Amino acid sequence: AQSVTQLGSHVSVSEGALVLLRCNYSSSVPPYLFWYVQYPNQGLQLLLKYTSAATLVKGINGFEAEFKKSETSFHLTKPSAHMSDAAEYFCAVSENTGTASKLTFGTGTRLQVTL
Amino acid sequence: DTEVTQTPKHLVMGMTNKKSLKCEQHMGHRAMYWYKQKAKKPPELMFVYSYEKLSINESVPSRFSPECPNSSLLNLHLHALQPEDSALYLCASSQVPGQIYGYTFGSGTRLTVV
């Protein structure tokens, strides 16, 4: 089965600083990877997805991620953090089981943005 | 319409009650999903319906009973739940196959079992 590992359960950055959230995947086939954001007491919002079309993927709210096969990584970045970026971020991998596709999440990284 | 709507938003139920969670989408998606999310944990897959047929059941206890009456609606029937079943229940939908098109999530139903 495919899986993702998020390094760092909690990341703190200053407003205006670079945001880097790490995600590594484990898959024997080309993976389909996603980043979702969850604000307190809300559902999940898709930030971006990698489906093999391009290795650098741009998403919403200024986020982007780069797929690196050699490093089995799909790290999420944003050049300048904003207070509104404070939330829980989940990396996820999707695989087809033969009868349907399923989405499996990493353990999540809580992003704190300080003044 | 690009939303997945879940009702109710909050639910408190006793261990002997029977209740249902509802999920609706009008995006023409033919796959729908139920996830359970405990506090400070990632969502965990419970069920997948593809073309209104149950395709994946992640060994969920029988006190949770899913139903997909049509392509727009997904229900989760609850009966004889335990306090440890208290969680945020998330519904999602996708085109088929989901990994190509991505998954759209609802805002969830926060369930408390007393």
Side-chain angles (χ1 to χ4, degrees), chain A residues 32 34 36 38 41-46 49-51 88 90 94-97 99-108 110, chain B residues 33 35 37 40-45 48 50 55-56 58 88 90 94 97-108 110:
Chain A
Y32 293 92
F34 301 79
Y36 281 86
Q38 186 175 34
N41 299 312
Q42 294 190 26
L44 297 160
Q45 182 181 16
L46 178 66
K49 65 180 187 284
Y50 170 73
T51 57
E88 188 84 21
F90 291 100
S94 181
E95 60 182 315
N96 193 308
T97 65
T99 56
S101 61
K102 56 188 278 187
L103 188 66
T104 303
F105 292 89
T107 51
R110 178 163 298 277
Chain B
Y33 312 78
Y35 281 82
Q37 185 178 24
K40 301 188 187 303
K41 297 290 186 182
E44 294 180 340
L45 183 65
V48 180
S50 183
S55 301
I56 297 177
E58 296 285 69
L88 180 67
L90 293 162
S94 74
Q99 62 262 39
I100 300 293
Y101 300 100
Y103 304 79
T104 303
F105 281 81
S107 56
R110 187 161 299 281

Side-chain angles (χ1 to χ4, degrees), chain B residues 6-15 17-22 34 63-64 75-83 85-89 107-114:
Chain B
Q6 292 188 242
T7 54
K9 292 193 182 304
H10 300 275
L11 178 63
V12 179
M13 61 183 291
M15 289 188 285
N17 290 160
K18 287 185 179 181
K19 296 287 185 182
S20 296
L21 310 184
K22 179 180 174 182
W34 279 116
R63 57 185 184 269
F64 295 91
N75 298 318
L76 186 63
H77 303 298
L78 314 172
H79 173 57
L81 295 192
Q82 303 298 309
D85 296 321
S86 298
L88 180 67
Y89 288 83
S107 56
T109 293
R110 187 161 299 281
L111 174 68
T112 303
V113 181
V114 297

Side-chain angles (χ1 to χ4, degrees), chain A:
Chain A
Q2 299 177 12
S3 65
V4 289
T5 301
Q6 291 185 244
L7 300 175
S9 60
H10 183 259
V11 170
S12 183
V13 301
S14 300
E15 189 174 37
L18 172 71
V19 175
L20 171 61
L21 305 183
R22 300 178 186 274
C23 175
N24 289 89
Y25 68 88
S26 174
S27 175
S28 58
V29 297
Y32 293 92
L33 298 166
F34 301 79
W35 275 100
Y36 281 86
V37 61
Q38 186 175 34
Y39 298 99
N41 299 312
Q42 294 190 26
L44 297 160
Q45 182 181 16
L46 178 66
L47 283 175
L48 48 83
K49 65 180 187 284
Y50 170 73
T51 57
S52 76
T55 57
L56 182 62
V57 182
K58 294 188 182 299
I60 62 171
N61 302 340
F63 285 94
E64 64 181 35
E66 185 172 9
F67 176 77
K68 292 186 177 181
K69 184 177 179 180
S70 61
E71 299 177 7
T72 62
S73 68
F74 189 57
H75 301 331
L76 182 71
T77 61
K78 182 174 180 177
S80 177
H82 192 272
M83 296 296 288
S84 60
D85 294 327
E88 188 84 21
Y89 291 79
F90 291 100
C91 181
V93 63
S94 181
E95 60 182 315
N96 193 308
T97 65
T99 56
S101 61
K102 56 188 278 187
L103 188 66
T104 303
F105 292 89
T107 51
T109 298
R110 178 163 298 277
L111 176 65
Q112 181 182 16
V113 182
T114 59
L115 287 172

Side-chain angles (χ1 to χ4, degrees), chain A residues 99-101, chain B residues 23 25-34 47-56 66-75 92-96:
Chain A
T99 56
S101 61
Chain B
C23 173
Q25 56 86 17
H26 297 287
M27 296 177 281
H29 291 175
R30 300 304 299 275
M32 297 187 77
Y33 312 78
W34 279 116
F47 304 103
V48 180
Y49 274 84
S50 183
Y51 296 102
E52 296 86 68
K53 293 190 189 308
L54 183 62
S55 301
I56 297 177
E67 178 195 23
C68 189
N70 58 59
S71 60
S72 300
L73 187 57
L74 183 67
N75 298 318
S93 70
S94 74
Q95 296 183 55
V96 177

